[in-house]
Amino acid sequence: VIADVGLGSNLGDRAANLQSGIDVLREAGCEVVMCSQVYETAPVGPAQPDYLNAVVRVRTCLDPHALLEIARRAEAAAGRERTTRWGPRTLDVDVLRCFDDAGRPLTVDTADLVVPHPRMSERAFVRVPLSDIDPDAAAGLAQIDTSGVTRTGVELV
Ligand code: PH2
Ligand code: MG
Ligand code: MG
């Protein structure tokens, strides 16, 4: 499975938190094949600090639910506390899209996981980094407001 995974952080050492998310994905056997730039983004939802956001593409033999499990483990490892919905967090790891080995999109629609992520296309903090790793995602980017999204010099490895 190829999966595009969104990373976000707006508490603590944000860049280190994003990197720790990537590290946990790798330890779980995900091969990181592409990594977007890191962007600083205005918060969507309740007032809270600005985020750093990035998207990585991974290749894995995990199925989408197993990947969700790893995402939660990565969030917990970064000390995430679940408070309010859309509230501030040290690390958010979202399974955005999945593809089978032939490159066909996979869909999941269960209580705990919906893929593709239902709100990803209208969110500039997802679309802009996703466009770095997928030129198709760049199409239509002009139609959404990307003014709250700025590139940082931060490099994830
Ligand atoms: N995540 C949210 C809510 N709001 N805003 C930004 N800029 N970046 C995020 O990653 C984000 C958000 C819930 O997952
Ligand atoms: Mg999220
Ligand atoms: Mg999430």
Side-chain angles (χ1 to χ4, degrees), residues 33-69:
V33 292
M34 271 189 278
C35 209
S36 75
Q37 299 286 322
V38 176
Y39 295 86
E40 183 155 53
T41 67
V44 172
Q48 56 186 300
D50 285 350
Y51 279 79
L52 289 188
N53 283 110
V55 173
V56 294
R57 175 165 287 183
V58 301
R59 179 175 320 185
T60 173
C61 51
L62 301 171
D63 65 35
H65 274 99
L67 194 54
L68 174 68
E69 196 54 44

Side-chain angles (χ1 to χ4, degrees), residues 9 19 31 38 41 51 61 64 75 77-78 86 95 97 112 124 130 132 138 153:
S9 172
Q19 183 63 55
E31 180 197 353
V38 176
T41 67
Y51 279 79
C61 51
E75 291 172 349
W86 291 8
V95 181
R97 309 191 296 185
D112 57 345
L130 188 63
D132 288 340

Side-chain angles (χ1 to χ4, degrees), residues 122-125 128 140-149:
E122 70 260 28
R123 291 176 159 185
F125 68 78
V128 173
L141 200 56
Q143 267 79 264
I144 65 171
D145 179 9
T146 57
S147 59
V149 176

Side-chain angles (χ1 to χ4, degrees), residues 111-123:
D112 57 345
L113 180 65
V114 180
V115 178
H117 192 291
R119 290 169 301 279
M120 60 174 276
S121 21
E122 70 260 28
R123 291 176 159 185

